[in-house]
């Protein structure tokens, strides 16, 4: 028995030892597996950090290129006058400076819609031969709204390296569509992708969601890139663990991807599982060695028993902690949560569920059938319903739960909307989550409103209008019933904004929107394009063009009558009118943008006739506008090639002596001959060309004065130069005049600037300040066409004037219409009292000159005395008069 007892003890000890050894082996396996998971999790975290950084870096790189392309129109000043498109080297110089500021860009070019290079940052400028990927230019021009378009990598013919072209389409002031293209090196994009990539065996790709590979790191050894094993969208949808094939080598591993902000492009980072576990294997060997040591120690000392007991205690504590954490996680969920068993009895629910359904809080209990929960809920959902209706609602809800195929919604009595998700558990139970999606729905509705509606008036914006107009055009072509597009612009709205403020302007726009909406049918569309521009789309008019035009005219006249009614703006009455341009659609295929342009052209015809009217689009309008655009182009060429010349019309005193001349602009056209200013000045004044032309006239006149200083016949002659309103209002006008006079050495007191009455009276304070700045340097001023405006004597006394110029319309009727004689006498008398010179222009008869002499006029200018002439003829006239005097 004593021998048996030790055997039993030994057996028990060895049993315990064997038990502990087995337990230790199990624990060791679990530990190795835990470290394996930790290694995979750490590698996945490194992948996530790298993908996030690479996404931000590539977004910044693409965004910098996008900003460069999007701002090209501002840099090249399409809407202004600073850029001379006749000289592509100027635009190329701007692009070259801009491209140097962006390290990501190798070259920037500006192309027209046919792909011709207009300017580039390349040393070859507009002569650059740009080989874009096939279809890339059409892809860039296709979107209605300008967006960044990214092409596939191609090999550059210039640098023989792989490059990516990015482009945006732009619109110039003339309406021409241009394309700004940037060339980005693939090597640069690769460096952006690999920046901070310190993970061994990392595979990085830049590809579309459909699987088209753009970049890959590392490249294949033979220089070709391996195609991705599957489209990225399918990989991300079907997997998510460490068994996903990597994007390049197709090894089992982990693939993480993020989309960048452009063109469905994704950055993916792949890491083979064997690379992620490389360090873990070393750790696993070390852990196994440690376990072996522990086993030896256990066999030798048997001390592992206490350690095992402690570990078991730790395991129980960890299990309890896990349950606590699970309970906390359920309670911290933002969604309501209910767990049902296989009998559809309540097993668990969280506090958020009680908050969503407060009337159930006192009813919920473990093992409560879910039917009871629904019966309590229906009493609050349908308080006025009968018992039968409530029972039907419960049965219908249970049937939906049984046949659940996806999320469904439930409206609460308080107006909130719940999204209910139901998932079955493996044991036949069900997990139900309740998500409050009210705020998300409101945000989505607000986003849609901001995207398609004008925030001030609530009317459809340009984007929604173009969409509806495109649909209406197709519908009209199918049905044969025409439609009409009315383009409405308020008259003198800018004056209201400038004088009474933008708040008053916004209030007027709101009332206009209300009147327009009330004056058309509910099926019609009233949209606001921006500013004071509105568009009304009329649908389902007559099938005949004449009848449809008549219907559109009646609606337009109704709108004009509604707009002509007085407005009450912050307690004050205001009167406003509108100009309407109209065009029909549905007879032939025409884009929405083209219809808008036609209606806009017709509207401007109304504006040209002082507004408050209606005009239908006529193709001749387009011809006139095209001619005007061509005239502007020809004027730019004339200014650049020196085709503009100055003629001089002499001015004489009472005694017949020549005292000065007026510089008059002429255009020496190579084909049309000498073109008078009346044929092109209006076009120049409507654009910013008048500023450049005015600067050229001023500089040429000052140069002529300098030449006269060395000739005794001309040294005392005054020279008058006309100044346009736009030129005078230019911010640097005073500075440019003073610089020209100073640089050329012109005697300022011989230079007279002629200003119109309307220019003088527009913004008097600024006008007086500018005139005084120039008067302080000796420059003289004359009011041209005096008497045709509404000058106030108080204003005249404030202006530093030297001369009044009687308009030729009064001179022409002297001795014919008594009122004009009175006006001329009044002007001469007023000038005499103000100590101003008076010069009459347009003197064509001896009778006119005699009357002017009788009334006391000092100086004369007109065909009777001399016509405008080249400077050589002026010299000859002076020499002839000097010879006759000496004789």
């Amino acid at each position: 028995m004593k021998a048996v007892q030790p055997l039993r003890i030994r057996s028990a000890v060895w049993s315990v030892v064997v038990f502990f050894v087995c337990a230790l082996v199990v624990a060791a396996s679990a530990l190795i597996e835990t470290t394996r998971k930790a290694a995979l999790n750490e590698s996945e975290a490194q992948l996530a950090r790298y993908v996030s950084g690479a996404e931000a870096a590539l977004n910044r790189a693409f965004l910098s290129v996008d900003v460069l392309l999007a701002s090209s129109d501002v840099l090249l000043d399409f809407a202004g006058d600073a850029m001379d498109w006749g000289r592509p080297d100027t635009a190329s110089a701007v692009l070259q400076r801009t491209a140097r500021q962006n390290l990501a860009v190798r070259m920037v070019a500006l192309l027209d819609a046919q792909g011709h290079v207009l300017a580039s940052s390349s040393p070859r400028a507009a002569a650059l031969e740009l080989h874009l990927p096939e279809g890339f230019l059409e892809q860039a021009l296709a979107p209605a709204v300008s967006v960044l378009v990214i092409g596939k990598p191609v090999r550059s013919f210039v640098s023989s390296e792989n490059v990516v072209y990015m482009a945006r389409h732009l619109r110039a002031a003339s309406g021409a569509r241009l394309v700004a293209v940037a060339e980005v090196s693939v090597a640069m994009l690769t460096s952006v992708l690999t920046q901070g990539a310190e993970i061994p065996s990392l595979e990085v790709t830049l590809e579309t969601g459909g699987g088209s590979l753009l970049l890959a790191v590392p490249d294949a050894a033979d220089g070709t890139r391996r195609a991705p094993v599957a489209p990225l969208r399918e990989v991300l949808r079907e997997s998510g663990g460490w068994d996903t094939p990597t994007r390049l080598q197709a090894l089992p591993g982990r693939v993480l991807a993020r989309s960048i902000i452009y063109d469905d492009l994704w950055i993916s980072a792949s890491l083979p599982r064997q690379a992620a576990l490389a360090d873990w294997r070393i750790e696993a060997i070390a852990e196994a060695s440690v376990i072996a040591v522990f086993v030896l120690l256990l066999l030798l000392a048997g001390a592992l028993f206490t350690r095992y007991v402690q570990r078991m205690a730790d395991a129980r504590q960890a299990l309890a902690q896990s349950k606590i954490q699970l309970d906390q996680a359920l309670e911290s969920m933002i969604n309501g949560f209910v767990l049902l068993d296989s009998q559809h009895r309540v097993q668990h629910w969280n506090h958020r569920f009680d908050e969503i359904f407060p009337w159930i809080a006192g009813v919920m209990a473990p093992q409560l059938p879910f039917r009871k929960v629904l019966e309590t809920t229906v009493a609050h959902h349908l308080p006025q319903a009968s018992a039968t209706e409530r029972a039907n609602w419960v049965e219908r809800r249970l049937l939906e739960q049984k046949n659940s195929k996806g999320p469904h919604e439930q409206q609460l009595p308080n107006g909130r909307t719940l999204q209910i998700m139901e998932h079955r558990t493996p044991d036949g139970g069900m997990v139900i989550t309740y998500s409050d999606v009210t705020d998300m729905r409101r945000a989505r509705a607000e986003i849609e409103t901001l995207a398609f509606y004008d925030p001030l008036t609530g009317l459809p914006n340009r984007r929604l209008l173009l969409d509806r107009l495109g649909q209406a055009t197709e519908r009209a072509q199918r049905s044969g019933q025409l439609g009409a597009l009315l383009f409405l612009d308020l008259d003198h709205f800018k004056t209201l904004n400038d004088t009474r403020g933008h708040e008053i302007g916004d209030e007027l726009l709101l009332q206009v929107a209300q009147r327009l909406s009330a004056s058309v049918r509910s099926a019609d569309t009233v949209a606001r394009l921006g500013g004071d521009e509105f568009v009304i789309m009329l649908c389902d008019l007559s099938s005949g063009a004449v009848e449809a035009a008549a219907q559109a005219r009646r609606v337009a006249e109704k709108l004009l009558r509604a707009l002509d009614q007085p407005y009450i703006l912050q307690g004050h009455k205001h009167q406003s009118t509108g100009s309407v341009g109209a065009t029909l659609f549905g007879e032939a295929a025409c884009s929405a943008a083209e219809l808008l342009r036609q209606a806009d052209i017709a509207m401007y015809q109304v504006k040209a006739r002082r507004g408050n009217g209606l005009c239908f689009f006529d193709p001749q309008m387009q011809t006139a506008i095209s001619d005007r655009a061509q005239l502007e182009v020809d004027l730019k060429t004339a200014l650049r090639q020196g085709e503009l010349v100055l003629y001089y019309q002499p001015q004489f005193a009472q005694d017949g002596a020549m005292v000065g001349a007026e510089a008059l602009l002429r255009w020496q056209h190579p084909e049309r001959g000498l073109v008078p200013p009346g044929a092109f000045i209006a076009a120049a004044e409507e654009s910013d060309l008048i500023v450049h032309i005015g600067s050229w006239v001023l500089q040429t006149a000052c140069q002529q004065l300098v030449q006269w200083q060395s000739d005794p016949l001309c040294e005392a002659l005054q020279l008058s130069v006309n100044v346009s309103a736009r030129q005078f209002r230019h911010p640097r006008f005073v500075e440019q005049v003073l610089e020209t006079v100073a640089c050329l050495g012109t005697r300022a007191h011989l230079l007279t600037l002629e200003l119109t009455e309307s220019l003088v009276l527009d913004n008097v304070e600024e006008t007086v300040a500018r005139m005084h700045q120039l008067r302080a340097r000796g420059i003289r001023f004359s009011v041209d066409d005096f008497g045709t405006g509404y000058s106030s004597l108080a204003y005249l006394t404030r202006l530093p004037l030297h001369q009044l110029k009687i308009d030729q319309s009064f001179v022409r009727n002297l001795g014919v219409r008594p009122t004009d004689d009175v006006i001329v006498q009044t002007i001469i008398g007023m000038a005499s009292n103000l100590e101003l010179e008076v010069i009459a222009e347009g003197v064509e008869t001896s009778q006119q000159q005699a009357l002017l002499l009788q009334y006391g006029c000092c100086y004369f200018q007109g065909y009777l005395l001399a016509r405008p002439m080249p400077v050589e003829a002026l010299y000859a006239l002076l020499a002839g008069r000097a010879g006759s005097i000496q004789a």
Side-chain angles (χ1 to χ4, degrees):
M1 292 295 295
K2 292 182 180 181
V4 172
Q5 187 68 26
L7 181 59
R8 289 180 177 177
I9 294 175
R10 234 180 355 262
S11 298
V13 169
W14 280 110
S15 298
V16 171
V17 169
V18 170
F19 176 80
F20 274 92
V21 168
C22 295
L24 187 58
V25 171
V26 172
S29 301
L31 180 61
I32 292 174
E33 182 62 21
T34 300
T35 57
R36 179 180 181 277
K37 292 180 179 179
L40 293 177
N41 291 339
E42 177 60 24
S43 296
E44 183 173 356
Q46 289 181 350
L47 276 180
R49 288 193 296 270
Y50 166 74
V51 170
S52 177
E55 175 200 10
L58 201 58
N59 277 335
R60 284 194 299 271
F62 278 18
L63 185 59
S64 67
V65 177
D66 192 12
V67 169
L68 171 61
L69 296 180
S71 62
S72 296
D73 56 341
V74 177
L75 293 173
L76 298 178
D77 197 7
F78 288 162
D81 60 276
M83 184 56 59
D84 185 355
W85 283 106
R87 298 185 60 187
D89 54 340
T90 304
S92 298
V94 174
L95 294 178
Q96 189 172 17
R97 290 193 300 271
T98 304
R100 283 200 297 266
Q101 298 173 3
N102 193 320
L103 299 179
V105 175
R106 292 295 178 86
M107 181 275 299
V108 180
L110 187 67
L111 286 69
D112 60 15
Q114 288 72 39
H116 301 141
V117 177
L118 302 179
S120 73
S121 62
S122 171
R124 301 186 61 189
L128 175 68
E129 295 184 4
L130 194 61
H131 299 274
L132 299 177
E134 183 177 355
F136 180 75
L137 185 62
E138 290 77 10
Q139 183 183 359
L141 289 170
V145 178
S146 178
V147 296
L148 183 68
V149 177
I150 303 171
K152 295 183 179 181
V154 295
R155 186 168 296 276
S156 171
F157 286 85
V158 177
S159 60
S160 297
E161 62 176 348
N162 290 334
V163 296
V164 172
Y165 288 102
M166 305 180 186
R168 260 184 178 272
H169 74 74
L170 310 171
R171 186 174 295 276
S174 63
R177 299 187 71 188
L178 306 177
V179 179
V181 179
E183 181 184 275
V184 180
S185 170
V186 171
M188 185 283 297
L189 294 179
T190 302
S191 65
V192 171
L193 283 176
T194 57
Q195 184 178 1
E198 300 178 353
I199 306 174
S201 303
L202 178 65
E203 300 175 12
V204 182
T205 66
L206 176 62
E207 56 187 285
T208 65
S212 297
L213 183 63
L214 300 182
L215 299 176
V217 178
D219 280 355
D222 57 358
T224 59
R225 294 176 179 168
R226 187 188 305 274
V229 294
L232 190 57
R233 291 195 188 98
E234 298 179 7
V235 173
L236 297 177
R237 183 173 61 250
E238 298 175 359
S239 63
W242 282 92
D243 293 322
T244 306
T246 58
R247 303 301 294 155
L248 297 179
Q249 301 184 41
L251 298 175
R254 188 73 170 99
V255 178
L256 294 182
R258 285 199 180 190
S259 65
I260 66 174
I261 60 178
Y262 292 102
D263 213 12
D264 191 30
L265 293 181
W266 292 72
I267 297 174
S268 75
S270 307
L271 185 64
R273 185 171 57 197
Q274 60 184 5
L277 296 177
D279 294 335
W280 167 81
R281 291 188 180 89
I282 299 174
E283 295 177 4
I285 294 174
E287 290 172 359
S289 301
V290 172
I291 296 302
V293 172
F294 279 129
V295 170
L296 291 175
L297 293 176
L298 179 64
L299 295 173
L300 295 174
L304 192 60
F305 179 75
T306 304
R307 191 176 184 87
Y308 170 77
V309 173
Q310 185 62 39
R311 287 192 177 186
M312 291 302 295
D314 293 343
R316 285 193 297 271
Q317 183 179 358
L319 184 60
Q321 186 65 29
S322 298
K323 187 178 184 306
I324 294 174
Q325 291 176 353
L326 178 60
D327 293 340
Q328 291 175 347
L330 292 176
E331 293 300 323
S332 64
M333 289 177 62
I334 61 173
N335 300 330
F337 169 85
V338 174
L339 176 63
L340 307 181
D341 61 10
S342 58
Q343 303 299 319
H344 280 212
R345 294 173 299 187
V346 175
Q347 292 293 309
H348 192 79
W349 71 97
N350 62 357
H351 180 67
R352 177 58 179 159
F353 180 85
D354 292 338
E355 292 178 348
I356 296 175
F357 306 101
W359 55 84
I360 305 180
V363 179
M364 289 295 288
Q367 301 302 313
L368 177 71
F370 192 67
R371 177 183 289 272
K372 296 292 184 183
V373 176
L374 295 178
E375 291 173 351
T376 306
T377 299
V378 72
H380 291 267
H381 275 290
L382 305 173
Q384 306 299 328
S386 63
T388 303
E389 292 173 338
R390 293 180 180 181
N392 291 337
W393 185 91
V394 171
E395 294 300 331
R396 187 167 59 254
R397 177 69 183 86
L398 290 173
L399 182 62
E400 290 175 353
Q401 180 175 299
K402 180 179 180 181
N403 302 319
S404 178
K405 296 181 180 179
H408 56 90
E409 294 183 354
Q410 179 177 330
Q411 197 76 22
L412 297 181
N414 59 5
R416 309 293 290 182
T417 302
L418 295 180
Q419 185 180 74
I420 304 175
M421 293 285 293
E422 298 166 329
H423 298 281
R424 295 193 179 277
T425 59
D427 61 353
M430 183 166 290
V431 175
I432 308 175
T433 58
Y434 300 84
S435 305
D436 190 338
V437 296
T438 307
D439 295 335
M440 182 180 68
R441 294 294 170 83
R442 291 174 180 172
R444 184 180 300 170
E446 183 176 356
I447 291 173
E448 182 177 352
T449 300
L450 293 174
F452 295 102
Y453 293 90
D454 175 49
L456 174 62
T457 62
L459 297 177
N461 59 13
R462 178 186 292 271
R463 182 178 180 182
L464 184 55
L465 171 68
L466 291 175
D467 180 69
R468 290 184 180 180
L469 183 56
Q471 297 178 15
T473 303
E474 294 178 359
R475 186 169 61 251
Q477 289 179 333
R478 290 195 302 268
S479 65
Q481 290 183 289
L482 304 182
L485 197 67
L486 307 181
F487 196 112
L488 186 146
D489 185 271
L490 299 181
D491 298 330
H492 312 298
F493 178 75
K494 183 179 185 299
T495 302
L496 175 68
N497 252 353
D498 294 341
T499 56
R500 301 186 60 184
H502 290 279
E503 292 182 358
I504 296 295
D506 289 346
E507 186 174 345
L508 174 63
L509 292 175
L510 283 171
Q511 295 188 30
V512 168
Q514 294 168 0
R515 294 186 185 187
L516 295 178
S517 299
S519 301
V520 299
R521 302 166 299 178
S522 59
D524 300 326
T525 296
V526 179
R528 180 187 177 212
L529 299 189
D532 59 337
E533 294 180 339
F534 295 84
V535 173
I536 301 91
M537 184 180 71
L538 306 177
C539 299
D540 300 328
L541 301 180
S542 175
S543 57
V546 177
E547 294 81 359
Q551 294 171 345
R553 179 178 293 277
R554 287 194 292 270
V555 174
E557 291 173 349
K558 178 181 178 182
L559 295 175
L560 290 174
R561 289 194 298 270
L563 296 181
D564 196 33
Q565 299 301 314
Y567 299 84
I568 303 300
L569 305 177
Q570 293 189 359
H572 298 280
K573 184 178 290 186
H574 176 74
Q575 201 77 22
S576 180
T577 58
S579 300
V580 179
T583 186
L584 298 179
F585 63 83
E587 288 185 303
C590 191
S591 67
E594 177 64 19
L595 291 173
L596 271 180
R597 188 182 63 81
Q598 293 178 3
D600 191 16
I601 291 173
M603 183 273 294
Y604 273 105
Q605 298 303 309
V606 182
K607 287 286 187 182
R609 299 196 293 263
R610 300 184 180 275
N612 193 21
L614 167 68
C615 180
F616 275 84
F617 173 76
D618 186 344
Q620 294 180 355
M621 298 178 187
Q622 177 64 39
T623 302
I625 290 176
S626 299
D627 292 343
R628 177 60 61 88
Q630 184 59 44
L631 181 59
E632 291 182 10
V633 173
D634 292 344
L635 273 176
K636 291 180 181 179
T637 304
L639 188 61
R640 184 173 61 255
Q641 297 182 356
E643 296 176 4
L644 300 179
V645 294
L646 287 185
Y647 272 43
Y648 301 89
Q649 185 171 27
Q651 298 170 338
F652 298 92
Q654 293 177 344
D655 59 1
M658 187 186 300
V659 294
E662 180 181 0
L664 300 174
L665 183 63
R666 298 292 185 268
W667 180 5
Q668 189 64 50
H669 196 279
E671 297 176 359
R672 289 181 283 178
L674 194 63
V675 182
F680 62 88
I681 286 297
E685 287 181 341
E686 290 179 5
S687 66
D688 287 335
L689 281 173
I690 193 65
V691 177
H692 295 290
I693 293 175
S695 299
W696 178 87
V697 170
L698 180 63
Q699 185 172 12
T700 305
C702 289
Q703 290 173 347
Q704 190 61 60
L705 279 175
V706 172
Q707 294 178 11
W708 286 351
Q709 292 174 16
S710 60
D711 190 335
L713 293 176
C714 311
E715 61 180 354
L717 288 182
Q718 295 279 341
L719 188 55
S720 300
V721 176
N722 289 283
V723 177
S724 70
R726 182 170 293 196
Q727 181 185 4
F728 186 81
R729 298 299 176 203
H730 193 276
R732 295 191 68 250
F733 173 73
V734 174
E735 181 181 348
Q736 289 175 348
V737 172
L738 296 178
E739 287 179 357
T740 301
V741 171
C743 291
L744 297 176
T746 307
R747 288 186 287 185
H749 68 280
L750 298 178
L751 177 64
T752 300
L753 300 182
E754 293 189 7
L755 310 177
T756 62
E757 269 190 276
S758 58
L759 187 156
V760 170
L761 294 178
D762 183 18
N763 197 348
V764 176
E765 298 298 332
E766 180 185 356
T767 301
V768 170
R770 292 191 170 202
M771 292 177 68
H772 275 292
Q773 286 180 286
L774 295 172
R775 177 66 185 89
R777 301 297 181 90
I779 297 174
R780 294 158 49 95
F781 287 95
S782 173
V783 176
D784 192 15
D785 302 334
F786 189 78
T788 59
Y790 304 93
S791 299
S792 167
L793 184 59
Y795 286 149
L796 286 178
T797 58
R798 296 177 56 191
L799 299 171
L801 296 174
H802 294 81
Q803 187 183 80
L804 298 181
K805 201 168 189 179
I806 303 175
D807 186 64
Q808 60 182 346
S809 63
F810 300 118
V811 176
R812 185 181 304 114
N813 293 311
L814 286 176
V816 179
R817 193 164 54 191
T819 54
D820 287 356
D821 289 68
V822 174
I823 292 174
V824 170
Q825 293 179 55
T826 303
I827 294 173
I828 295 174
M830 180 181 62
S832 177
N833 292 330
L834 294 176
E835 298 181 352
L836 299 176
E837 298 175 356
V838 177
I839 182 171
E841 65 175 345
V843 180
E844 298 181 353
T845 65
S846 300
Q847 180 186 4
Q848 294 171 353
Q849 185 179 20
L851 288 173
L852 288 169
L853 283 170
Q854 178 184 341
Y855 298 151
C857 182
C858 304
Y859 303 100
F860 309 91
Q861 176 182 342
Y863 283 3
L864 175 65
L865 306 170
R867 291 176 175 269
M869 60 188 69
V871 68
E872 295 82 6
L874 184 67
Y875 280 130
L877 179 63
L878 283 170
R881 294 177 69 88
S884 63
I885 292 175
Q886 292 176 359

